[in-house]
Amino acid sequence: ATHVITNLLIDLQGDVAFRTLSLGNPDRFVVDLPGTTSAAGLQLPAPVGVVRAVRRGQPTAGTTRIVFDLAAPVKPLPRLERGVDGVRLVLA
């Protein structure tokens, strides 16, 4: 069975492109944000539910990567939402 991540939000400073990737053995969900750098004080969310750990990296210069280590496979549907507070990447 596929599990669902709900209310996973990433606040962004402006419109950015993003790519997602699901990986297995072990199960992971990856979000790449090309053309970005993560703030030095970036706080990643604590693991909850099917998410075992959250970490960030930089696979190539100028790309921020956020990796969700999972207890089971998930396939969230990402979308950008624009509001008064800026742009938010929603994974639901």
Side-chain angles (χ1 to χ4, degrees):
T2 299
H3 298 271
V4 177
I5 296 176
T6 58
N7 285 343
L8 181 57
L9 309 171
I10 302 171
D11 290 323
L12 306 169
Q13 301 213 340
D15 284 335
V16 298
F18 66 91
R19 292 186 301 259
T20 62
L21 178 64
S22 294
L23 301 170
N25 296 322
D27 293 314
R28 287 158 288 155
F29 185 75
V30 177
V31 177
D32 281 342
L33 302 163
T36 66
T37 57
S38 60
L42 175 69
Q43 291 187 335
L44 297 173
V48 65
V50 72
V51 178
R52 289 187 170 167
V54 183
R55 53 196 164 87
R56 71 173 164 168
Q58 187 178 30
T60 59
T63 297
T64 299
R65 172 171 283 179
I66 301 173
V67 179
F68 300 90
D69 295 321
L70 306 169
V74 296
K75 300 238 189 256
L77 299 174
R79 68 182 186 278
L80 287 177
E81 288 185 355
R82 289 163 184 80
V84 294
D85 294 334
V87 179
R88 177 174 282 166
L89 176 60
V90 179
L91 303 169

